[in-house]
Amino acid sequence: VEKEIANAFLAADKAISEYNTTNKSDAGTTGTIVVFWPIGRKPEQAIVGHIGDSRVYSYDNAGLSPASLDQTQAFSYLKQHFADSDKVDYSTMSVEERKKFGKKFRRAFMRAVHGVKYGDLTPSEDAVDLAIVRSNNHILEHALHGTGDKPAIYRTEAKPGQRWLFCSDGIGDNMSDED
């Protein structure tokens, strides 16, 4: 399944490259693919393929949790302020680790972008340079634009009754976790 997802991104990137060449354009986009597998058998998993800053969230009894990580310069900068930031890789993190990191990262991001203060951030996490985060928030490190960028692909648990939210980066800029 992961190979098919990677091939779908590769085909999209190739089509964009051909379009750009033909039309002397610099078009590009972000994207997300989620495949639920195996369908109808337990345990079911969601295989997430993601590139850029379009987002996927899962929602269950524990609340809203990010199922994708932005591939932006702001995210890379913020990640440096977290302990064990070299281990922040959704493909190797457990579901609980993803939820914990995702929520804490989101709080640091909201503090950086909107000045909202959260008490559970460490001094390093709270010391991010607001100007750097704000100015690099929408600068993509990876996207589909005909240059062969690779998507992040990883598996996560899919539970009965769980809901999934696919959205652009704009939703995170205008809504808190509570919303």
Side-chain angles (χ1 to χ4, degrees), residues 36 71 74 77 97 100 117 122 138 174:
F36 296 96
Q71 295 172 330
Y77 172 79
E97 288 172 326
K100 183 178 178 183
K117 184 77 171 164
T122 67
H138 298 290
N174 297 302

Side-chain angles (χ1 to χ4, degrees), residues 147-161:
T147 58
D149 284 357
K150 305 267 189 263
I153 300 174
Y154 41 87
R155 289 177 180 250
T156 189
E157 180 182 26
K159 297 179 271 188

Side-chain angles (χ1 to χ4, degrees), residues 58 60 62-63 65-66 90 93-104 157 159 162:
S58 65
D60 58 21
S65 300
Y90 271 21
M93 294 170 80
S94 71
V95 172
E96 288 308 311
E97 288 172 326
R98 287 180 201 160
K99 286 183 180 182
K100 183 178 178 183
F101 172 78
K103 287 180 180 180
K104 195 167 193 180
E157 180 182 26
K159 297 179 271 188
Q162 190 173 30

Side-chain angles (χ1 to χ4, degrees), residues 85-156:
S85 65
D86 58 321
K87 297 178 185 171
V88 179
D89 179 358
Y90 271 21
S91 66
T92 60
M93 294 170 80
S94 71
V95 172
E96 288 308 311
E97 288 172 326
R98 287 180 201 160
K99 286 183 180 182
K100 183 178 178 183
F101 172 78
K103 287 180 180 180
K104 195 167 193 180
F105 176 80
R106 175 116 173 93
R107 289 191 292 270
F109 180 82
M110 291 298 287
R111 184 246 179 258
V113 174
H114 299 291
V116 178
K117 184 77 171 164
Y118 292 95
D120 63 341
L121 298 176
T122 67
S124 173
E125 293 162 355
D126 197 45
V128 298
D129 185 320
L130 304 184
I132 289 174
V133 173
R134 288 180 180 146
S135 65
N136 293 291
N137 186 30
H138 298 290
I139 299 174
L140 299 176
E141 292 185 336
H142 301 284
L144 296 170
H145 52 91
T147 58
D149 284 357
K150 305 267 189 263
I153 300 174
Y154 41 87
R155 289 177 180 250
T156 189

Side-chain angles (χ1 to χ4, degrees), residues 19 21 23 34 61 64 70 80 83-84 88 109 117 132 148 152 155 160 174:
Y19 175 87
T21 300
N23 296 289
V34 178
N61 292 337
L64 190 66
D70 281 3
Q80 295 171 12
D84 299 323
V88 179
F109 180 82
K117 184 77 171 164
I132 289 174
R155 289 177 180 250
N174 297 302

